[in-house]
Amino acid sequence: MELDLDELRALAGWTADCAARVLPLIPDDARPAAAIAAAREFAAGAPRTKALRTAAWGAQAAATAAPNPAAAAAARAAVGAAGAAYLHPLESPHQVKHIVGPAQQAALARELAGDSAEAELEWALTHAPPEVRTLLNRFPPGKPGKTRLGALHRHLESALRTGS
């Protein structure tokens, strides 16, 4: 399978937008914001560099150090946004997690903060560019678990695949 750079840029832009929506849930750590900024730079045409991976690792460290579960999920959304540029061209269900992960983590962060996960999912779905849907449909179905995060994954994947 080949992945088009323009598709990866569209994915990175969308995932950055999803993650940015929950950035206020982790205000005292600059690392998730740096990861989102790196993803946006790639989406705007910058090359894939070590800076993207470094920013993703920084956001992962922020998730580990987060003061509460909502902040941790928000930081994980930023990790996924920075990592979107490195989606693997493997026909593997695991890759689907990399496509929907930032949006599902953002929805989980909202829910853990006492807000509506469904409203966050709806935002993500209405703002997903066509390239994200096309890209997702090139992969086999994901294999989410039976947790709440898995339920969010199933909702996103299904809706993105069907266009609803």
Side-chain angles (χ1 to χ4, degrees), residues 24-62:
L25 297 175
I26 188 165
D28 298 328
D29 195 324
R31 295 173 292 184
I36 292 167
R40 285 187 166 151
E41 287 174 19
F42 170 73
R48 288 186 289 196
T49 65
K50 184 179 176 189
L52 266 169
R53 289 185 188 269
T54 301
W57 284 115
Q60 181 60 43

Side-chain angles (χ1 to χ4, degrees), residues 16-149:
D17 290 346
C18 290
R21 291 177 48 83
V22 293
L23 199 53
L25 297 175
I26 188 165
D28 298 328
D29 195 324
R31 295 173 292 184
I36 292 167
R40 285 187 166 151
E41 287 174 19
F42 170 73
R48 288 186 289 196
T49 65
K50 184 179 176 189
L52 266 169
R53 289 185 188 269
T54 301
W57 284 115
Q60 181 60 43
T64 301
N68 59 64
R76 283 191 300 273
V79 172
Y86 293 99
L87 181 67
H88 296 297
L90 305 171
E91 292 184 27
S92 162
H94 178 74
Q95 296 308 308
V96 174
K97 289 181 182 179
H98 296 299
I99 296 170
V100 302
Q104 92 188 62
Q105 288 289 346
L108 181 64
R110 285 280 183 217
E111 184 171 275
L112 292 170
D115 296 321
S116 170
E118 286 71 25
E120 199 62 30
L121 292 175
E122 186 60 31
W123 186 93
L125 290 167
T126 59
H127 289 84
E131 295 91 342
V132 171
R133 294 173 192 276
T134 300
L135 184 62
L136 177 64
N137 280 310
R138 290 171 52 205
F139 287 89
K143 293 186 177 180
K146 295 181 182 181
T147 64
R148 178 63 178 143
L149 198 56

